Structures are given as structure tokens and as C-alpha cells.
Amino acid sequence: MDSMIIAAARALAGGDPLAALNRVALRDDAPALALRGIAMAQLGDLDRAKALLKSAARAFGPREAVARARCIVAEAEVALAARDLAWPVKALAAAGATLQAHGDRLNAAHAETLAIRRLLLIGRLDEAATLLAKQNAAALPPPLRATHELAAAGIAIRQLRTRAAREAFARAAEAAGQAGIPALIREIDDAAAVLQSPAARLIAGGAQRTLLPEEVETLFKTDTLVVDACRHVARCGERTVPLATRPILFSLLRTLAEAFPRDASREALLLHAFRARHADESHRARLRVEMGRLRAELAPLAAINATSAGFVLAPHGNRAVAVLAPPLDEPHADMLALFADGEAWSSSALAIALGASARTVQRALETLSAAGKVQPVGRGRARRWLTPTPGAFSTLLLLPGPLPGD
């Protein structure tokens, strides 16, 4: 490579895209196209970056397998930044294997880190942790080591291992400081703020207060019967009863838990579960049926007893009962949680991350847009959605992926 290409590459490695463009902006050879694509990605023009990287990959000849693989890895990074989760992951894996076979271990490690970050976004934490464990962080240069530790922190915080997350954030910040890249330092600082942001509301005994992630972790380690309205499960220690697919049963359980240790009236149960303000005998019959189903589901953790006024929750072992609710109770909170990172999402990427159908996601986006909580940018296949007020509160309990005991 000539001196201008080398200088541009060094500028990009140091996080200075403008200096890189000063050297290669008017060139159309393959290395220059690749560097221009990376520079445009650092400047935030992801569509232009993607087009340039595709052109660079085509411009490199069949004998330049390593250069083509590097372009594919860069294109994958742009796709991840654009939240294009449908980008072909097999191409990234093949590019990583090519780089590894030709001795480019650093870019091969970068490809693995991109795969880890994608798995983290869609909640496949076990697979992400397995890939992360294969990397030797000590052998990575500071920028890649910072990204590695940031991924480790993301996995730990999603699994509510707050001490491990704090230590990983500290290592990431140290590596980013050594790299001297302002954007990377800012990204780590923003990500670490989740540890100091309210993650949920605790409702117990008629009172409620906000909890930090560390306090949620402590709560899960007690023998309290927790009715988790973030994940729609009942949990006590390591035992869980999932009710995400049984919304009526979960609504009844939450009403019982919020009334504990008193009983919940039949009128309150009918209102919350069936939206029935004027109950008739058919509503009461349905309530008895659904309460019987809930009693059977909840048997490992608690009993449900009938009273003259309604029903009362009776946890085994006279345990305490608490409701863990999102910081704000609102429809489609899980989707808003994905927007909290401030990035623009496509509807297809949201469907992949949430494991929902495209039509379900579209309906939810239309509802949120009408309420002014998200807004579209672009048209057609280029349309992306974002929220006007990202990061208002921590949403880690609403993000995809299992919590301890799930």
C-alpha cells in the first residue's frame, strides 16, 4: 500500500475519519473505497458507508481474499450499527474464518466480537458468552479489548451479575483510555450508566419504590415470592413459573400480589383481568375457571384461597410477596426498551430481536407513533424508527434474553 493509504488507515484506527478522508476522498481504487466506507461509517452516514464497502469488496480481485474478508467484516459492523439484524451472519463467519486462516488474528477477533454483539442484541446470551470465552482479551489491542470487555459487561448486566458487569466496564474504560478514541470512551460511559439508573419498581405492602439493578439482583437471591411484571413470571429463588403466554393469569396474579397480605376483591380481579366494570354471573364463572388454572400453575410456589370478598395469595413458608414492575407501566415497554440505546431500528430488526411477527411489530410501532413515543425516519425499505427521548431509564429487565432462573 502507498503512504496515503497507510496514513488514512492510521487516522481511522485513531478515530479521526476527517483526516482519513483528506487523504483518500478523491480515489476510487479498492483500498481507498474501503477506507472511505469506514470513514463514512464513523461519521454516521451508514447508507453511504455500506455502498462504499460493497464497491470495495467487488473491486478487490479473487486473489485478494484477505482484503475482501476485511470489507465483509466492516460491512457487518455497519449493518450492526444500522440495526440491520437480517444481514447474513454466515458471510461474517466465513470472513472471520478466512482472516484466521491467513494469520490476520486481530480482524478475525473483531469479526467474532461483532457476532457476539449481534447475539447480545437479540438476547441469545448463552451463545454470546460461549463465543466471548474463546477470545483471549489480553492478546487484543486496546480498541478491540475495550469492545471485548464492553460485550462482557453487556452479558453480565443482562444476567443481573452487577459486580461482574462493573468490573468489565472498568476494564473497558481502561482499554478505551489507552486507545485514546473519544467515541469509544463515550460509548462505554453511556453503557455503564445503566448500573446507576432505576431498573424497576418494587411494589409491596401498599408502597412502592424504585430499584437499581444491584438491588434487583439482591431481591432475586432472597426467598421472596416475586411477581415479575417485566418478564411476566413468578419467581422464588431458582424456581420460576412462566406466564408470558398467559396474560389473564398473570394479571390475576399481579392483582393478588399487590393486595397481599390482604385479599383482592372479585371486582378488582374482574376489572384488571377482563376489564369488566359491571360483573355478571358469566364473569364470575370465568373468574373461577381462570383462578383454578392459576392455582394449578402456581402450586410449586403458593396457594390461592377463596375468601368472602375475593381471593388471597398464600405463599408457601409464609414468604414475603413483592411485585417487580417496569419503571413505567405502558404498552409495548419491551419495544421501547430496545430504543433506549438511542439507535434507529428497522421494523424487521425489531421483529428479530423480540421474536415477534412483522405485523405485530408494525401494529405496535403505529400505536407508539400515534402516541408520539417513536418516530419514523426515511421511506420504504430504508425506513427506521427511533424514540425522541432515549435513555430515560434503565430497561435491562425488559430486554430480550433470560434472567437468572428463567
Side-chain angles (χ1 to χ4, degrees):
M1 290 187 292
D2 59 56
S3 60
M4 297 298 284
I5 292 294
I6 293 173
R10 287 176 177 170
L12 289 175
D16 190 353
L18 294 178
L21 286 174
N22 283 337
R23 292 167 172 82
V24 297
L26 300 180
R27 294 176 53 167
D28 289 323
D29 52 297
L33 286 172
L35 293 174
R36 285 168 57 192
I38 296 171
M40 296 310 296
Q42 290 187 5
L43 290 171
D45 190 346
L46 301 182
D47 291 335
R48 180 61 177 157
K50 186 186 299 184
L52 286 166
L53 289 168
K54 283 183 178 294
S55 297
R58 288 193 298 266
F60 282 114
R63 295 184 179 180
E64 299 172 293
V66 173
R68 291 168 64 91
R70 289 172 180 168
C71 288
I72 292 171
V73 171
E75 189 181 346
E77 186 169 14
V78 171
L80 187 68
R83 295 300 184 262
D84 181 8
L85 301 183
W87 193 86
V89 292
K90 290 183 179 180
L92 177 61
T98 298
L99 293 168
Q100 187 70 35
H102 286 79
D104 189 354
R105 294 180 177 83
L106 293 184
N107 279 306
H110 184 45
E112 287 182 349
T113 303
L114 293 176
I116 292 167
R117 290 171 59 192
R118 182 184 182 278
L119 290 170
L120 185 58
L121 275 178
I122 61 179
R124 291 160 64 174
L125 305 186
D126 291 340
E127 294 177 52
T130 300
L131 278 180
L132 193 72
K134 294 179 180 178
Q135 291 187 331
N136 180 10
L140 299 175
L144 276 182
R145 190 165 69 251
T147 306
H148 172 97
E149 297 295 351
L150 188 59
I155 293 171
I157 194 63
R158 293 278 196 97
Q159 295 174 335
L160 279 182
R161 296 184 291 114
T162 54
R163 180 176 178 180
R166 188 173 290 107
E167 292 172 352
F169 279 130
R171 293 192 298 269
E174 180 182 0
Q178 293 173 2
I181 302 176
L184 184 58
I185 295 172
R186 185 168 58 252
E187 180 183 1
I188 293 169
D189 289 342
D190 291 344
V194 72
L195 292 171
Q196 304 302 323
S197 302
R201 287 178 296 126
L202 180 69
I203 304 173
Q208 61 176 290
R209 63 185 180 91
T210 57
L211 296 182
L212 297 177
E214 188 172 8
E215 294 173 307
V216 176
E217 180 185 12
T218 301
L219 175 65
F220 284 173
K221 291 179 180 178
T222 67
D223 63 352
T224 301
L225 173 57
V226 179
V227 177
D228 187 348
C230 299
R231 295 300 178 102
H232 292 85
V233 301
R235 62 174 76 241
C236 183
E238 295 298 322
R239 305 192 69 173
T240 63
V241 176
L243 294 171
T245 60
R246 312 288 293 275
I248 291 177
L249 298 191
F250 185 81
S251 178
L252 292 172
L253 176 58
R254 179 172 177 175
T255 304
L256 290 170
E258 290 185 358
F260 184 85
R262 300 181 302 276
D263 56 355
S265 68
R266 289 176 175 81
E267 290 75 15
L269 292 165
L270 289 168
L271 176 62
H272 293 149
F274 310 129
R275 303 292 186 265
R277 295 185 179 277
H278 304 287
D280 55 24
E281 188 55 37
S282 66
H283 287 110
R284 295 189 183 93
R286 188 181 178 191
L287 176 61
R288 288 193 295 271
V289 171
E290 298 295 346
M291 198 61 72
R293 291 171 177 166
L294 177 60
R295 188 179 286 115
E297 292 285 341
L298 205 62
L301 303 180
I304 299 175
N305 300 324
T307 67
S308 58
F311 295 87
V312 63
L313 191 62
H316 300 329
N318 294 321
R319 294 184 175 93
V321 176
V323 174
L324 192 69
L328 296 175
D329 271 322
E330 56 183 318
H332 312 300
D334 54 347
M335 185 175 295
L336 290 173
L338 292 172
F339 286 110
D341 61 4
E343 300 291 345
W345 288 73
S346 67
S347 60
S348 60
L350 289 169
I352 292 172
L354 295 172
S357 69
R359 185 57 191 144
T360 297
V361 169
Q362 286 288 354
R363 285 196 295 264
L365 287 171
E366 290 167 4
T367 300
L368 292 172
S369 179
K373 294 176 181 177
V374 299
Q375 59 190 33
V377 177
R379 293 180 177 275
R381 296 183 64 181
R383 170 165 284 194
R384 296 292 185 270
W385 297 83
L386 50 82
T387 178
T389 55
F393 52 83
S394 169
T395 54
L396 66 97
L397 298 184
L398 299 172
L399 294 171
L403 290 173
D406 285 1

